[in-house]
Amino acid sequence: MTGKGLMISVSGPSGVGKGTIINEVRKLFPECKHSISVTTRAPRGEEQDGVEYYFRTKEEFEKLLSEGEILEYDKYVDNYYGTPATPLIEKSNNGFDVLLDITIAGSLALKKKFPQAVTVFILPPSFAQLEERLKGRGTESEELVAKRLAKAREEVLSAEKFDYVVVNDDLQTAVDSIVSIMKAEKLKYDRQSGIEKTL
Ligand code: 5GP
């Protein structure tokens, strides 16, 4: 682990507020790098290739996969999303902290490959609140909300496989919890190995 940056992934069921939490954490740790994923979904709004994502065709994605360039990947709403291996490893080896916004299965796969990665699971305060949030978005049909809720009930069972669990009851408290996790993880001896010899 010596000299290596912190690799932290944040995952949770759809509608849990993960994106908002991650944006706030990023504002507080501007030096923390993004892991820019490759996706087969189309860009939304102002999204630019190489900034939010690398936008690729299904064939291009499959080629990267077969070349071993994708460290972990998952399918989400009919599109592939994957973490490019080389940039992540290089950033970490160069001592940069990297935050990954990936699915639950993605975090579990990352942890298998890099046991030193820190995984965080965001839980809703209750399923009733999750349902309210999903309905509140107003973008999804009742059927889709019910589908997402059923999936969330299944997904929360994976929380036990994560290093940390944060309940998103209140945005600021959830952000503070992730900041605390990052600060404590960065103070681990293994991440500062040999520091005492440099005094
Ligand atoms: P969106 O299309 O809303 O940007 O992302 C959809 C989902 O894909 C989010 O839950 C996001 O965390 C996840 N995701 C984005 N990039 C990756 C990736 O590289 N690997 C995995 N496993 N999930 C990803």
Side-chain angles (χ1 to χ4, degrees), residues 12-182:
S14 173
V16 81
K18 176 183 66 161
T20 314
I21 295 174
I22 290 176
N23 283 342
E24 292 303 310
V25 171
R26 282 188 168 141
K27 281 187 210 157
L28 296 169
F29 286 89
E31 70 289 353
C32 182
K33 304 276 181 198
H34 300 213
S35 165
I36 306 171
S37 299
V38 184
T39 182
T40 59
R41 86 149 160 78
R44 284 197 291 247
E46 304 278 286
E47 285 179 341
Q48 285 177 356
D49 185 47
V51 180
E52 287 82 8
Y53 282 105
Y54 295 107
F55 296 99
R56 296 291 181 267
T57 63
K58 192 163 172 268
E59 291 69 32
E60 286 167 335
F61 189 92
E62 282 167 351
K63 186 165 180 273
L64 287 169
L65 202 57
S66 69
E67 290 167 350
E69 278 301 319
I70 303 289
L71 196 131
E72 65 70 35
Y73 75 101
D74 202 357
K75 211 171 178 188
Y76 183 90
V77 198
D78 291 334
N79 280 300
Y80 286 113
Y81 293 81
T83 303
T86 312
L88 177 64
I89 294 164
E90 276 180 359
K91 279 175 192 150
S92 176
N93 284 347
N94 289 328
F96 290 109
D97 299 331
V98 188
L99 180 63
L100 296 97
D101 171 356
I102 58 179
T103 59
I104 295 163
S107 278
L108 295 177
L110 174 78
K111 185 80 183 173
K112 258 198 183 152
K113 289 209 171 148
F114 295 113
Q116 77 273 26
V118 175
T119 55
V120 181
F121 196 104
I122 311 284
L123 272 181
S126 66
F127 285 113
Q129 288 213 28
L130 184 65
E131 185 172 2
E132 258 176 48
R133 281 189 203 162
L134 288 167
K135 282 184 176 161
R137 283 180 178 180
T139 50
E140 279 137 37
S141 65
E142 246 178 62
E143 194 192 332
L144 203 59
V145 168
K147 239 182 165 178
R148 289 210 197 277
L149 262 180
K151 192 163 183 219
R153 284 184 188 277
E154 238 177 71
E155 287 177 326
V156 297
L157 302 177
S158 294
E160 64 176 15
K161 297 182 190 134
F162 280 64
D163 297 316
Y164 295 94
V165 173
V166 170
V167 177
N168 187 17
D169 206 349
D170 168 73
L171 174 64
Q172 200 49 53
T173 311
V175 170
D176 288 347
S177 298
I178 295 186
V179 167
S180 304
I181 293 167
M182 290 172 76

